[in-house]
């Protein structure tokens, strides 16, 4: 957009804001000329300004001060707009969101061993970028365009749900669901993340999830970490089947989800086998460094932690082998079972777990062999 | 599409089906009111119904019963429609398909050691999802839209041809061919999978493939596993060159394919070096578990199997190191040579093979060292 | 395009070329009938011909002979068109390009140890495909369409800047920047590679880069490998901030870049820890093969080379462990810090570096243990 056109747009926006004040939004708008901020910001941050101009907010008279309160606050460090503020207009969405695991993203992070063991600059560059979703509606509804089209696209979910430890994005993209959606861009032709996890615009992204969580801990839990009853699990499974049957027969959908349940169990069984090997080695006193010799676990103390919340720093080599098995490979097997990605279930998951098991048993043998030599 | 519009569409469809019966398709259509299924299915499986509505099948009077025969059969377990059925109308395509390796996908799977060694739920979640292509035209022509645009897109091929053990999709997407096609979506500007492997709509996807196969077995074979003659290999190379010269000079194309031949040989040489290290270790009696101590190979029996059809379960650690070399890294080197992906040839392939070789030789040394200690 | 339409297009092209000769391009066009080449080439290389037909070159009377000089030269081996030729018309672009590291891509490759150690066919299949950018404007401006849209797309940069040893493409695509751009295809909504690295069409792709390079060598250097002064580094940082502030507040942008600086330092510190472990092992005489026993490094001679330009062939196992740490994992940590990809900084980078460190220390312990046993 050239400068001239931009100024015309700006004037139209100002005029509509004046008009819009007659049909005021629900949130209380402080008494301030909306042109005050924009006068400068169309020059100093043109990209930001342009995004807002094209937003539904702009069309509905939601301007800088509606959310940032006053110009003083907006220029201060960390002038973030928190969900409470958004909730003044988007009440239903915030209520749903509070039911989802997204709403405890930061709270859970703060007590995570992995997070506690690293310096602040490192935390800021990764952990906090995603876990701040608890405090940032613009994790998904990116500033300052707040486009629904963007927020509903699998790519929006994929900015956090990706990578070796939770490749949801990659699983989806390598499934038939993801392939057809990417090809057609038609959510009636194939599901996107929100089709199954946030149906009908619900902001409770934990919808329909009946099995979980990662690691070797037991069944799915609620937001207070309390295991969910068998009945509640069945109710959730029915919820999910309700989505599947939009396109598939109930028989087929049930078969697929039950197969995924079995794949999950098979993967966990392999993980247990690895765990037992290491527990035996620990009993035989062959962990170097031993649990006693090393820094205590930040949340679990002086104990052998295998699987979540196991750390990847300062452990013995055999525990490090298990870390990869549980953190990267096991999650691929079981989660891709439910996301229907053969490549992630098999090549990136099941094969890797079997190779991990060989590695762990080999290391156990070598440790015992070295001990035998030493005793001679 | 809202419900009202959907009902109107439905009525139009029914009317056209009545009209279409005058220009009947080749396949015999059982005497049944086509509205019988749709009456319910537009409600119970709206996504499925909508996909069919938009299909060429719908436009040409091919409805539920044309393929699923009767409603009873359609609701039974595994009411799949097999290629024979599709072939009643699509004769040429089925004939071509029978010439391709796709047509023996399931047959080959059933006698594969890897497949035989794992429980049924695991087989269902990965192996069978892709290898069922032998029995499912809708592996590529996804139900119930059967869109030609979708089937011809590299993404359709990529639902199976991806992952650590055959990253054709990833190689293509990281080549200049794939990059330009993805950018332009113009098959005249850069080739897609089907441009080279299924030219002019041929369903013989083995077209023009003159070198192969994976593993350390020798040259390309026909569908009966009989090696193909030198002359036939040259004829196929000429076929492929015929595709390349649409855009490139013959000199350039030939040079590129011959370079790929050499890259393949160089990768195989590295693999042979790894193999020999392990064969020596086996002769020295240093495989743990030894071939005698372990479960016999499901198809090869009590023998040391290195490269295809090697298993990844229950082998010695040094064999597992070779498994990764042959199954994941070697295939990247040689296949990406022909798909022109520098990242897969080098970073994901060649470097990894060289590192595998160091790992294998180190393990051989350690095994010998431990034996020496033991004998003291 | 069918044949008939193609011939009509061809005639229109010829007619416009005659017209275009009245508004001659800057470069001297040899006296030759432009139809001479095309007469055949629309038949023998229709894809190539069609790409040119749609190019700005075709519209502006730049035809085969303008660049390829004469038909004889064009059919000879390696009839490449070099930047000098392009520079006859595109002067400013070539001048900028000469300031960038792209312009020394091949020169730097030729003296690289990795490159020197491998056979020519392997070099051709990977190294040279990308490093030839020094000599090929059509590395980015792909032949014969030379589309600006294509060259400016992140995919164009991504044909080389990808893979385990420099996953710039993957980092970008997993950042919020890349996600929003891919979704919207709108460079005003989110930056592409060229937004930050080639602003306002500059062909100096080293613009604004103030920290570097890969490996454990010190700060950013100029094209003659001379370290850049503190002042020049600050000037470049200001250049980059000038781009960021199009959308972000200066405070936020500065904070983000400074955090990336710290992430980089933290990653380098881990790498130094690994390096020191290996240097100690070398002093204790436990490298197998030792530096004396192995082929000298092609550029560094008989010395222990850790980090760039370390080789991945024929080294000891412990050095190979460090190779992966420096070549694949360290670069992900520090470069993704600046590209804002949490997955690459953490899962693919930081975790892997920590695991590498455990592997290296474990191997050091095992080497010492074996020595102890041997001495008994």
């Amino acid at each position: 957009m050239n400068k001239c056109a931009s100024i015309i747009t700006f004037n139209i926006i100002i005029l509509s804001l004046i008009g819009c004040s007659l049909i005021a939004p629900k949130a209380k708008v402080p008494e301030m000329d909306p042109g005050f901020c924009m006068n400068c910001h169309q020059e100093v941050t043109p990209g930001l300004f342009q995004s807002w101009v094209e937003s539904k907010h702009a069309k509905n008279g939601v301007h800088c001060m509606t959310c940032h309160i006053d110009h003083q606050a907006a220029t201060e460090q960390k002038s973030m707009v928190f969900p409470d503020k958004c909730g003044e207009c988007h009440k239903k969405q915030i209520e749903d969101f509070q039911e989802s695991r997204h709403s405890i993203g930061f709270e859970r992070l703060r007590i995570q061993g992995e997070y506690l063991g690293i310096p602040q600059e490192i935390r800021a560059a990764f952990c906090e970028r995603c876990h701040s979703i608890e405090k940032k509606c613009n994790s998904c509804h990116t500033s300052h365009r707040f486009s629904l089209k963007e927020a509903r696209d699998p790519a929006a979910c994929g900015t956090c749900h990706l990578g070796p430890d939770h490749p949801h994005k990659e699983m989806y993209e390598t499934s038939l669901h993801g392939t057809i959606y990417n090809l057609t861009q038609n959510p009636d032709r194939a599901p996107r993340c929100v089709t199954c996890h946030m149906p009908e615009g619900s902001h409770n992204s934990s919808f329909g999830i009946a099995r979980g969580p990662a690691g070797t801990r037991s069944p799915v839990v609620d937001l207070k970490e309390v295991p969910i009853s068998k009945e509640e699990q069945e109710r959730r499974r029915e919820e999910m089947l309700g989505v599947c049957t939009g396109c598939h027969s109930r028989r087929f959908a049930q078969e697929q989800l039950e197969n995924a349940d079995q794949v999950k169990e098979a993967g966990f069984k392999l993980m247990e086998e690895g765990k037992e090997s290491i527990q035996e080695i620990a009993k035989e006193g062959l962990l170097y460094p031993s649990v006693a010799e090393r820094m205590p676990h930040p949340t679990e103390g002086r104990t052998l932690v295998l699987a979540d919340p196991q750390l990847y720093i300062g452990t013995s080599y055999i525990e490090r082998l298990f870390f990869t098995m549980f953190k990267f490979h096991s999650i691929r097997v079981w989660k891709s079972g439910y996301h229907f990605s053969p490549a992630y279930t098999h090549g990136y998951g099941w094969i890797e777990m079997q190779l991990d098991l060989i590695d762990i048993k080999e290391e156990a043998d070598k440790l015992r062999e070295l001990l035998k030599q030493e005793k001679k």
Side-chain angles (χ1 to χ4, degrees), chain A residues 43-258:
Chain A
E43 290 292 333
V44 297
T45 55
L48 187 159
F49 174 75
Q50 188 57 34
S51 288
W52 173 79
V53 165
E54 291 163 10
S55 74
K56 215 168 154 186
H57 276 172
K59 284 185 196 65
N60 289 293
V62 178
H63 55 75
C64 313
M65 290 305 97
T66 320
C67 310
H68 290 288
I69 311 194
D70 68 42
H71 192 262
Q72 179 60 24
T75 56
E76 275 171 13
Q77 271 248 338
K78 309 283 175 202
S79 66
M80 284 165 61
V81 175
F82 293 100
D84 281 357
K85 190 75 209 168
C86 307
E88 290 177 12
C89 294
H90 305 280
K91 196 160 172 287
K92 169 79 169 64
Q93 285 77 4
I94 293 293
E95 281 168 6
D96 288 353
F97 175 77
Q98 300 299 350
E99 298 295 310
S100 78
R101 293 183 80 78
H102 279 161
S103 76
I104 53 169
F106 206 79
E107 187 188 322
R108 283 172 67 225
L109 176 70
R110 280 191 315 104
I111 52 161
Q112 236 284 334
E114 267 187 46
Y115 178 75
L116 293 169
I118 50 175
Q120 182 48 43
E121 67 269 20
I122 312 291
R123 292 174 182 171
F126 35 86
C127 322
E128 294 176 3
R129 276 196 203 278
C130 288
H131 281 265
S132 58
I133 190 170
E134 178 180 332
K135 303 175 175 178
K136 284 180 66 190
C137 295
N138 60 343
S139 289
C140 311
H141 301 273
T142 45
S143 311
H144 279 90
R145 178 65 181 80
F146 306 107
S147 151
L148 266 180
K149 186 180 168 297
E150 291 175 31
R152 284 170 180 162
D153 195 279
C157 313
T159 56
C160 291
H161 290 268
L162 86 170
D165 47 347
H166 38 41
H168 300 99
K169 181 193 179 185
E170 295 89 336
M171 291 168 188
Y172 172 73
E173 287 180 349
T174 54
S175 74
L176 206 48
H177 285 162
T179 302
I180 298 178
Y181 179 71
N182 278 339
L183 258 171
T184 60
Q185 296 288 309
N186 177 2
D188 290 332
R189 179 82 179 92
R192 322 182 264 197
C193 311
V194 295
T195 310
C196 304
H197 296 294
M198 299 173 76
E200 288 164 53
S202 164
H203 274 56
N204 177 3
S205 55
S206 303
F207 172 92
I209 294 176
R211 299 294 183 277
T216 48
R217 291 189 179 166
S218 249
V220 72
V221 290
D222 67 14
L223 296 189
K224 312 252 178 263
E225 301 284 319
V226 177
I228 279 165
S229 71
K230 207 103 197 132
E231 290 70 36
E232 172 64 9
Q233 283 180 39
E234 288 317 310
R235 197 190 61 72
R236 291 191 187 185
R237 174 57 53 94
E238 281 304 318
E239 277 182 349
M240 191 55 83
L241 281 170
V243 177
C244 307
T245 50
C247 292
H248 300 291
S249 76
R250 190 184 157 83
R251 173 196 57 73
F252 177 80
Q254 206 156 8
E255 217 175 82
Q256 297 298 316
L257 291 176
E258 283 169 10

Side-chain angles (χ1 to χ4, degrees), chain A residues 176-370:
Chain A
L176 206 48
H177 285 162
T179 302
I180 298 178
Y181 179 71
N182 278 339
L183 258 171
T184 60
Q185 296 288 309
N186 177 2
D188 290 332
R189 179 82 179 92
R192 322 182 264 197
C193 311
V194 295
T195 310
C196 304
H197 296 294
M198 299 173 76
E200 288 164 53
S202 164
H203 274 56
N204 177 3
S205 55
S206 303
F207 172 92
I209 294 176
R211 299 294 183 277
T216 48
R217 291 189 179 166
S218 249
V220 72
V221 290
D222 67 14
L223 296 189
K224 312 252 178 263
E225 301 284 319
V226 177
I228 279 165
S229 71
K230 207 103 197 132
E231 290 70 36
E232 172 64 9
Q233 283 180 39
E234 288 317 310
R235 197 190 61 72
R236 291 191 187 185
R237 174 57 53 94
E238 281 304 318
E239 277 182 349
M240 191 55 83
L241 281 170
V243 177
C244 307
T245 50
C247 292
H248 300 291
S249 76
R250 190 184 157 83
R251 173 196 57 73
F252 177 80
Q254 206 156 8
E255 217 175 82
Q256 297 298 316
L257 291 176
E258 283 169 10
N259 198 75
D261 294 343
Q262 289 179 291
V263 167
K264 186 189 158 197
E265 291 310 317
F268 277 19
K269 227 174 106 184
L270 285 190
M271 199 153 71
E272 284 304 317
E273 215 179 311
K275 221 177 190 175
E276 282 162 25
S277 284
I278 299 174
Q279 283 161 342
E280 281 166 32
I281 284 293
K283 271 186 214 150
E284 296 168 33
L286 293 172
L287 285 187
Y288 309 108
S290 73
V291 172
E293 288 159 346
R294 72 177 80 152
M295 231 188 58
H297 188 287
T299 59
E300 312 296 303
R302 285 216 183 279
T303 181
L304 177 62
V305 180
L306 293 171
D308 193 34
Q310 185 181 345
L311 301 187
Y312 55 79
I313 303 180
T315 71
S316 71
Y317 178 62
I318 200 167
E319 285 167 86
R320 162 262 190 274
L321 293 174
F322 184 79
F323 178 84
T324 326
M325 186 188 209
F326 115 80
K327 185 82 172 184
F328 294 164
H329 306 146
S330 159
I331 206 168
R332 294 179 198 168
V333 169
W334 81 267
K335 289 218 166 181
S336 69
Y338 295 107
H339 289 92
F340 315 109
S341 163
Y344 272 83
T345 318
H346 189 209
Y348 292 116
W350 184 260
I351 291 183
E352 290 291 349
M353 287 189 83
Q354 294 281 7
L355 300 180
D356 290 333
L357 213 52
I358 295 178
D359 293 351
I360 288 168
K361 290 180 173 185
E362 172 66 20
E363 173 64 7
D365 287 350
K366 281 217 174 79
L367 287 167
R368 287 186 184 111
E369 186 63 29
L370 283 169

